[in-house]
Amino acid sequence: MQKQLLSIINDCNLLPGQKTQQLAQFADSLVEYLPLSAATQQAKDNNLICDMYEGHAPFKPRYVLPDYQLFLQQGSKYLELEPAQDFDDALNNLMILYHFVPSVTNIPVFIGHLDQLLMPYVGELSEEQIYSKLKRFWIMLDRVLPDAFMHANIGPSDNIVCRTILKIDAELAQIAPNLSLLFDTEKTPESLLLQACENIATTSKPHIVNHNMHKQKYAEKGYGVVSCYNVLPVAGGCNTLVRVNLKGVAEQANSITDFMQVQLPLYCQAAYELIEARCQFLHKDSNFFDHFLVQEGILDEKRFAPMFGIYGMAECINTLLSKEQLQGHYGEDQNANALALEITQLVAKIVDQTEVPYGYHGRALLHSQGGLNSDVDVTPGIRIEYGTEPDPITHLMSLAPQHQYFTSGVSEILTLEPTVRGNPQAIQQLCKGAFNHGIGIFTANVATNDLVRITGYMVRMSDINKLSEQGSRTNTTALADGAIKSTHVSQRQPRVVSHEFNHWQNK
């Protein structure tokens, strides 16, 4: 133990704050794990279910989405802040609150629907004044909260704050904050969508979110897109995320029938036991929900839910087909894709029918989990295996039928050939077509960009190249380096978007 602690303390590439965080994580690992049945413990030990390394005794939710609008309107007694009166007040108050919003990374994963929050305070400010204030704010976010899981939302309506944020984000090309534009067919003009696609061509940001799909799932206060691409209720969030390793479960099965009728339900049940154990401790023993954020109405315990994640769909399908001596490969063949849809529908049915004590309307939220840097030879979520991706339209059409079932988020990352920078309209048409066919979130990298998306978060490739010698001020650079080395994420195939639109229209 002494040797492990000193290795953190003496690491010349870690800043003092980063050392403190790693020492705290080490201390948490010394706590005895929550009691589980022998079968569930074995499933966890065998990596058939996974708690995402959130900690042995959870004392904070994984993802927290404060009601920032309420906070700005009422201020905070605990923080001794009056309600915001102008644009500067709003930015200052938000920055203060961010330091009190916990998450699995200790940095807020959701910083609000910024244009909706800030528009009421624009007043008589000129475009130049708004630009200057927001640019300083954007730089401060990246330098003070240097974590690419921090996520801002804009849209779906067009406004000066939304447009200015897109302009600044393209200019600065920072890894933080992550950014999503909510796209609504009735509210979002084509010119705003095109500006977002122009940004994607140079910075691989923002995500573009199918608001028409997601707004139906969350009533009252709505939803936010947080961390990588997770869709969760505002004023609540995710108390814990447990994922099922579909590849590992397929390896336990002796046939497709055995997988569907025995093995998958068995390990889903184990995942639910792990979820309940973690939620019980968080909600009953940790005292988190006595926090001032809850007392002042900025969070509502009833709007938290566990995320039920799955990953390794690609390897699962290929393994099951091989066991049955059937031809086909996930992402390429209709039979393989149909089996994947059947599996997703089964898991969605289990999630829909399983009540949990601390859920959103008594249920967990199904999630296509984007992977960890420790995942070896297993593809995140329901994504197609890296290096085997077909053309962008076939890629999206293969996976679109599954997206409707993932209430708390699913994302594909297309890697496009660099010539698309000269034709962002192609990205725009690809995005609109994807939404018309049921894609929930549209995300794209452009090959050779320095700023790229890993599982859903951003990293600069130039930062990774300097990591071993200089370290990094951003907390996610090391994660990205590990993901590139262990998960083959860098093998994504860049594709051309050009004459494929005839194929798209014929589908």
Side-chain angles (χ1 to χ4, degrees):
M1 182 189 302
Q2 183 82 359
K3 185 177 180 180
Q4 290 173 285
L5 291 171
L6 284 174
S7 69
I8 297 172
I9 292 168
N10 295 332
D11 192 327
C12 63
N13 287 330
L14 293 178
L15 297 171
Q18 293 169 331
K19 292 180 180 181
T20 300
Q21 183 169 338
Q22 289 197 19
L23 290 169
Q25 290 171 341
F26 185 87
D28 181 80
S29 71
L30 301 177
V31 177
E32 185 176 354
Y33 204 90
L34 301 171
L36 300 170
S37 69
T40 297
Q41 185 65 55
Q42 184 176 12
K44 180 176 174 295
D45 292 342
N46 292 340
N47 200 32
L48 295 169
I49 61 173
C50 173
D51 66 0
M52 300 293 292
Y53 309 104
E54 292 176 359
H56 287 195
F59 59 91
K60 58 187 177 181
R62 181 177 182 85
Y63 301 132
V64 173
L65 289 77
D67 185 343
Y68 290 114
Q69 183 178 34
L70 178 65
F71 163 72
L72 290 178
Q73 292 171 348
Q74 73 179 18
S76 170
K77 182 178 179 181
Y78 181 85
L79 295 177
E80 302 179 58
L81 291 173
E82 296 296 321
Q85 300 298 316
D86 57 28
F87 203 82
D88 289 338
D89 278 352
L91 293 177
N92 186 60
N93 286 6
L94 286 173
M95 201 68 200
I96 291 171
L97 185 61
Y98 293 155
H99 287 276
F100 293 87
V101 177
S103 78
V104 67
T105 66
N106 297 308
I107 287 177
V109 295
F110 177 65
I111 58 174
H113 297 93
L114 288 179
D115 56 339
Q116 297 177 30
L117 292 172
L118 296 174
M119 278 303 297
Y121 303 97
V122 166
E124 300 299 320
L125 292 175
S126 66
E127 290 187 23
E128 291 77 12
Q129 289 172 316
I130 293 170
Y131 171 84
S132 178
K133 292 175 186 294
L134 283 176
K135 186 171 184 178
R136 287 195 294 267
F137 179 65
W138 218 243
I139 292 170
M140 182 164 59
L141 286 170
D142 179 75
R143 306 309 191 270
V144 177
L145 301 169
D147 190 291
F149 294 113
M150 175 179 58
H151 207 133
N153 292 188
I154 53 176
S157 299
D158 193 7
N159 58 73
I160 184 61
V161 173
C162 179
R163 294 272 187 169
T164 304
I165 286 175
L166 284 173
K167 178 181 178 180
I168 291 168
D169 198 58
E171 289 176 359
L172 296 177
Q174 300 174 164
I175 64 107
N178 207 338
L179 185 64
S180 282
L181 170 69
L182 278 55
F183 176 81
D184 188 304
T185 53
E186 297 180 357
K187 295 182 179 180
T188 311
E190 290 289 320
S191 60
L192 180 58
L193 178 61
L194 178 59
Q195 184 178 354
C197 292
E198 290 170 345
N199 280 25
I200 290 172
T202 57
T203 66
S204 307
K205 294 164 65 178
H207 290 290
I208 303 177
V209 180
N210 188 342
H211 187 57
N212 298 87
M213 173 186 288
H214 294 294
K215 69 182 180 181
Q216 306 300 328
K217 301 174 182 177
Y218 294 97
E220 303 168 31
K221 295 178 180 291
Y223 70 92
V225 182
V226 315
S227 188
C228 285
Y229 53 84
N230 311 318
V231 180
L232 293 165
V234 169
C238 166
N239 39 32
T240 191
L241 195 169
V242 171
R243 61 181 189 160
V244 176
N245 180 351
L246 295 180
K247 175 190 176 183
V249 176
E251 291 172 343
Q252 302 297 307
N254 55 41
S255 66
I256 292 175
T257 299
D258 182 48
F259 176 87
M260 299 292 285
Q261 296 183 2
V262 179
Q263 302 299 334
L264 184 56
L266 176 67
Y267 288 105
C268 286
Q269 182 180 357
Y272 269 109
E273 182 186 334
L274 183 55
I275 284 172
E276 184 161 353
R278 299 186 64 78
C279 286
Q280 285 285 353
F281 189 90
L282 174 67
H283 286 262
K284 290 296 186 183
D285 298 329
S286 74
N287 297 308
F288 174 82
F289 290 97
D290 295 328
H291 198 283
F292 83 90
L293 293 172
V294 179
Q295 294 174 348
E296 296 186 6
I298 299 168
L299 293 176
D300 180 351
E301 186 176 8
K302 294 179 181 179
R303 290 181 66 81
F304 281 85
M307 294 168 68
F308 189 103
I310 60 171
Y311 72 113
M313 179 68 84
E315 291 78 12
C316 170
I317 297 303
N318 297 338
T319 297
L320 291 175
L321 292 177
S322 176
K323 285 177 181 284
E324 300 277 10
Q325 298 184 332
L326 297 173
Q327 297 296 315
H329 195 274
Y330 183 60
E332 298 177 3
D333 301 290
Q334 286 188 348
N335 290 340
N337 296 341
L339 178 58
L341 178 60
E342 188 178 349
I343 291 170
T344 290
Q345 290 171 332
L346 174 59
V347 178
K349 181 178 179 180
I350 291 171
V351 171
D352 186 58
Q353 293 180 347
T354 305
E355 188 172 358
V356 294
Y358 303 101
Y360 187 66
H361 301 301
R363 296 296 184 271
L365 303 174
L366 185 57
H367 180 63
S368 175
Q369 201 281 316
L372 295 172
N373 65 344
S374 58
D375 293 341
V376 178
D377 297 327
V378 58
T379 304
I382 62 167
R383 290 178 182 164
I384 296 170
E385 187 178 357
Y386 297 142
T388 69
E389 300 94 338
D391 68 83
I393 294 174
T394 301
H395 188 155
L396 292 169
M397 292 292 289
S398 296
L399 303 179
Q402 298 184 61
H403 275 219
Q404 61 184 302
Y405 297 100
F406 293 96
T407 309
S408 63
V410 53
S411 174
E412 310 312 316
I413 301 178
L414 301 177
T415 299
L416 304 178
E417 202 271 339
T419 56
V420 80
R421 294 194 193 101
N423 186 18
Q425 291 84 358
I427 302 176
Q428 181 181 19
Q429 292 304 313
L430 190 61
C431 175
K432 290 171 62 180
F435 287 169
N436 286 339
H437 287 82
I439 290 291
I441 297 179
F442 177 86
T443 309
N445 281 335
V446 175
T448 74
N449 277 0
D450 186 38
L451 193 65
V452 299
R453 202 174 292 279
I454 301 298
T455 60
Y457 63 91
M458 308 301 302
V459 68
R460 286 194 189 109
M461 296 304 297
S462 56
D463 289 342
I464 290 178
N465 295 336
K466 297 181 292 185
L467 180 65
S468 61
E469 294 183 1
Q470 301 180 15
S472 176
R473 66 173 180 81
T474 59
N475 297 337
T476 37
T477 305
L479 292 177
D481 183 54
I484 287 173
K485 290 176 179 176
S486 64
T487 67
H488 312 300
V489 65
S490 60
Q491 294 181 11
R492 290 175 178 142
Q493 292 295 308
R495 300 299 188 184
V496 176
V497 183
S498 57
H499 301 297
E500 295 155 352
F501 290 111
N502 290 333
H503 174 62
W504 181 251
Q505 293 166 354
N506 291 334
K507 284 286 187 177

